[in-house]
Amino acid sequence: YIDEFAALVGSGRTVFRGLPPLRWKGMTAAALRAEAPCAGYLESFDIDFLRFKVPPNDQDTLIPQQLLMMKVADNAALDAGLRAGSNVAVLVAMGIEEELHQYRGRVNLDSQIAQSLSDQGIALTTEELSALQALAKDSVAAAAQLNQYTSFIGNIMASRISSLWDFSGPAFTISSEENSVYRCIEVADSLFRTSDVEAIVIAAVDLAGSLENLTLRLKYGPVSSGSSTAGAAFSAQGWTAGEGAGALVLQRASQAEPGRVYATVEGLAFAQGTTREAIETAALGALREAGKSPSDMTLVEASASGFAEEDHSEHEALGSLYPGIVPVSIKSQLGHSFSAAGMPAILASVVTLGRGGHRWAALSGLGRDLCSAHLVLQAPSIPRLAKTPTRPAKVGLIKTLVLGGAPVAEALATHVNDPLVISIRTKLSRLSPGRLPVHRLETAKEVDAPVKTSSITTVPRQIAGQYSAHRTFLEMRQAAQKQMAALIRLQAGIPAAQSLAPLAPATAHEVVPAPAPTPAAAAPLAPPLAPPRARRYRAQPISLVERFSRPRQVIFDTQALTEFAEGSIGKVFGSEYALIDSYPRRVRLPTTDYLLVTRVTDLDATRLEYRKSYMATEYDIPLDAPYLIDGQIPW
């Protein structure tokens, strides 16, 4: 792998290609209203499922982001000669895998389809509507299974590599946009200074060529027309997506084995901002830490993101700092890998150092974290001698993982002869292609504030989609308000014709009004979307009492689950399981804010009986949970 990469660097070749046929599930022109741009797309890769101890089930395997990172991190640990069970830390530079939104889109289709049909005046039977919703949802994404859900948790990537090698050092992820890899190096330096870790694996991954990633990042600037020169830093007009993963291993210089070292880190600095001044500040800080001057550098790797404002600032700064040196950028050959962008830049520099008289390299990084990074590398005193070792031949389960999936149109076409689908198509034939109905865009400053409306004649598809999702949210919120109001009236014994003042959401507990001598009459509430009107209320004395619903049975309560997470399994499962408490490590529930289980209410499992088991849990969302956004638990 590293030899192939080294051969590519400086060769004048690129990895840019057209969109692989399955990469976006056939959603090309419909999504961007244009052909998909050329980019460094990753179409497929091989993975040994037995080596990584993950299920090979096509319907429930880890997402490609995690599998790809695990593969390169494993190879880096092998190449560095790390020992299993040693005190090694694992840091992963990554961002959220935006393909997660396919699952959110699947969930949203229920309400979106119903709303679209209503807007077009088309009525389907309950059976037809359910069938259409199921077809559309399955064409976008299959219902997520256990391993897919958990593999969207980025930190599990670092934990899996640590577990695979039985490393005892810390393992976690770092997300700092395009500077994530440089921040990993900063944290690694801190770990070396403050702990006794022997080595640190740094891995980075970003599948930036996905439809979701490309759509999101198009707001930063246009994609390249493909006219850039390979190797040149600032020849591109626009940016080109690149995707993949890379990994490296850091060790203290005094502990590194001669002949295994690619380069040494001599200086690293950051500065707030991405202006010319910030870039120069970061560069001078890194050079000062390395004890070098700009004239000592012979190789300069630019960020060269392809975003005009960043490129202009960087071009000026690097030209002033390193006169006489023409900056290069690996992005011109691989594309922009965003959260992983620092990794190919570092790898390209380390395979170049020692060749052509290059002894010192300066790397510039710019990120959407609004920081400038600068890294100084030196070629090793003894050239890299060891070849990448081969893993001993073992029984494996190697499969090729293809990114993307079957085109949406093909998934729908498989049901074309279904009588129910034929009936649906007949009714849908009245749809007006390419025309969107006139929508009202609604905003509300407060839950019960008068709603202002405005009408527009044409709505872009993106805005219409946002409107549809927001409207669904408002309707759900209004329905919840009505239910709460009905509950309060029921508890207080107020006739249905009367109503109470709107309540600010303060608790998820049951609301129990205190007895009032004479409930005062109040004006009826206006409909939620009615024009502004005067409303006056009289106060009703309300007291709130914590009163949770109680399940019929509780097998393990919160106290027992906390004990399982932090203490003894024998105290929870009984003496037959007490032996597990003597193991040096065991599987536990996460604790504190990540203990997302309040009680276990059902259990079908038998000790020493290997079969499919069942467990049901409940979770009470705390009102002050740190993950709440506007009082709601995020997706």
Side-chain angles (χ1 to χ4, degrees):
Y1 297 103
I2 192 64
D3 294 336
E4 295 176 9
F5 180 79
L8 175 69
V9 174
S11 68
R13 294 182 288 112
T14 74
V15 299
F16 303 144
R17 54 170 296 181
L19 182 71
L22 302 181
R23 187 67 177 87
W24 290 0
K25 300 183 178 180
M27 297 181 288
T28 311
L32 298 177
R33 298 189 179 183
E35 290 300 317
C38 286
Y41 295 111
L42 178 66
E43 182 173 12
S44 62
F45 61 93
D46 292 338
I47 190 78
D48 186 343
F49 285 88
L50 196 60
R51 162 65 182 161
F52 294 107
K53 302 178 177 66
V54 294
N57 181 2
D58 293 337
Q59 303 302 317
D60 186 22
T61 189
L62 304 187
I63 61 175
Q65 181 194 44
Q66 289 218 4
L67 291 173
L68 186 62
M69 189 286 307
M70 290 162 58
K71 179 174 181 176
V72 299
D74 183 48
N75 284 336
L78 182 69
D79 182 60
L82 298 183
R83 296 175 294 105
S86 54
N87 186 6
V88 174
V90 180
L91 308 180
V92 176
M94 53 81 69
I96 185 174
E97 176 49 78
E98 298 295 343
E99 286 191 347
L100 168 69
H101 288 86
Q102 291 184 13
Y103 296 97
R104 182 61 183 175
R106 173 188 165 87
V107 173
N108 286 343
L109 277 173
D110 279 333
S111 59
Q112 290 173 346
I113 290 175
Q115 184 62 50
S116 297
L117 293 173
S118 175
D119 290 344
Q120 293 280 354
I122 295 176
L124 299 182
T125 66
T126 301
E127 185 181 12
E128 290 171 339
L129 178 59
S130 296
L132 178 60
Q133 290 169 331
L135 270 175
K137 289 160 65 175
D138 289 341
S139 69
V140 172
Q145 304 298 315
L146 173 64
N147 288 297
Q148 290 167 322
Y149 268 117
T150 56
S151 65
F152 276 107
I153 303 172
N155 206 59
I156 287 182
M157 287 193 280
S159 299
R160 285 189 184 277
I161 287 297
S162 183
S163 175
L164 180 69
W165 282 77
D166 199 25
F167 291 148
S168 58
F172 51 90
T173 57
I174 294 177
S175 298
S176 192
E177 302 296 339
E178 292 87 341
N179 284 326
S180 297
V181 173
Y182 300 115
R183 290 296 184 185
C184 283
I185 296 176
E186 180 185 41
V187 172
D189 180 63
S190 178
L191 286 173
F192 280 133
R193 294 173 186 269
T194 60
S195 72
D196 58 352
V197 293
E198 302 171 23
I200 299 172
V201 177
I202 296 179
V205 60
D206 197 323
L207 299 181
S210 72
L211 174 59
E212 294 79 10
N213 272 312
L214 199 73
T215 304
L216 171 68
R217 286 154 176 166
L218 273 173
K219 71 178 183 179
Y220 302 150
V223 294
S224 172
S225 61
S227 58
S228 62
T229 302
F234 302 108
S235 63
Q237 299 297 317
W239 61 278
T240 303
E243 51 187 6
L248 55 86
V249 176
L250 293 181
Q251 291 178 295
R252 293 179 179 88
S254 60
Q255 296 177 336
E257 182 181 339
R260 282 190 178 272
V261 178
Y262 289 97
T264 58
V265 177
E266 300 293 338
L268 175 65
F270 297 87
Q272 189 67 36
T274 56
T275 62
R276 172 179 175 173
E277 294 74 18
I279 296 168
E280 292 176 347
T281 299
L284 294 174
L287 289 166
R288 185 168 52 250
E289 184 176 294
K292 293 293 175 179
S293 66
S295 60
D296 293 317
M297 302 297 111
T298 59
L299 177 66
V300 175
E301 174 77 23
S303 172
S305 64
F307 300 117
E309 187 174 351
E310 289 183 0
D311 283 1
H312 178 72
S313 298
E314 191 179 32
H315 192 207
E316 288 190 340
L318 297 183
S320 174
L321 286 163
Y322 306 107
I325 299 180
V326 178
V328 296
S329 177
I330 192 61
K331 289 186 180 67
S332 64
Q333 294 181 267
L334 299 182
H336 195 341
S337 52
F338 293 89
S339 294
M343 185 60 69
I346 294 173
L347 297 181
S349 296
V350 300
V351 299
T352 303
L353 284 171
R355 300 190 311 191
H358 291 301
R359 297 294 302 167
W360 290 87
L363 290 75
S364 174
L366 301 178
R368 296 284 159 182
D369 59 348
L370 301 181
C371 281
S372 298
H374 217 79
L375 180 70
V376 175
L377 300 176
Q378 182 185 17
S381 55
I382 299 177
R384 169 80 182 188
L385 301 175
K387 295 292 184 181
T388 302
T390 56
R391 194 181 303 282
K394 291 183 179 180
V395 176
L397 180 57
I398 299 175
K399 296 180 65 175
T400 298
L401 192 70
V402 179
L403 277 68
V408 172
E410 289 184 11
L412 295 174
T414 57
H415 302 273
V416 68
N417 295 322
D418 188 322
L420 194 59
V421 174
I422 294 174
S423 174
I424 295 172
R425 291 182 63 190
T426 302
K427 294 182 179 180
L428 294 183
S429 63
R430 288 184 290 152
L431 281 171
S432 302
R435 186 182 70 83
L436 288 171
V438 174
H439 290 290
R440 290 187 311 175
L441 301 183
E442 300 148 353
T443 60
K445 291 184 178 179
E446 298 178 14
V447 172
D448 200 47
V451 174
K452 299 178 181 179
T453 63
S454 61
S455 298
I456 57 178
T457 55
T458 60
V459 183
R461 291 183 182 274
Q462 183 179 7
I463 297 177
Q466 293 172 347
Y467 157 78
S468 177
H470 186 60
R471 176 172 178 171
T472 301
F473 166 72
L474 290 176
E475 289 175 348
M476 293 173 63
R477 186 169 65 178
Q478 291 163 2
Q481 291 172 334
K482 290 179 181 179
Q483 293 176 355
M484 179 64 77
L487 176 62
I488 293 174
R489 285 195 295 268
L490 179 65
Q491 297 275 350
I494 301 174
Q498 299 176 352
S499 58
L500 296 173
L503 295 175
T507 174
H509 306 156
E510 185 176 352
V511 179
V512 184
T518 311
L525 288 175
L529 299 180
R533 58 180 296 180
R535 290 184 283 182
R536 293 179 295 177
Y537 306 96
R538 291 185 179 180
Q540 288 277 11
I542 299 292
S543 65
L544 301 179
V545 179
E546 290 190 348
R547 186 173 296 172
F548 295 97
S549 60
R550 299 295 180 186
R552 287 190 297 270
Q553 65 174 355
V554 175
I555 298 172
F556 301 119
D557 59 13
T558 304
Q559 182 178 355
L561 295 172
T562 303
E563 177 69 31
F564 180 89
E566 301 177 355
S568 166
I569 190 175
K571 292 181 179 178
V572 181
F573 285 1
S575 58
E576 292 176 319
Y577 293 85
L579 177 65
I580 299 176
D581 289 326
S582 66
Y583 295 170
R585 63 174 59 91
R586 63 180 178 82
V587 177
R588 294 174 177 266
L589 284 171
T591 189
T592 61
D593 296 330
Y594 293 93
L595 179 61
L596 304 180
V597 184
T598 303
R599 63 189 68 87
V600 175
T601 58
D602 196 6
L603 180 65
D604 179 16
T606 304
R607 181 173 174 268
L608 301 180
E609 187 175 321
Y610 187 71
R611 62 180 175 85
K612 188 172 183 178
S613 302
Y614 171 82
M615 176 184 288
T617 66
E618 292 183 352
Y619 177 53
D620 299 331
I621 301 173
L623 296 175
D624 59 349
Y627 50 71
L628 296 184
I629 299 176
D630 295 331
Q632 302 292 321
I633 184 170
W635 178 255

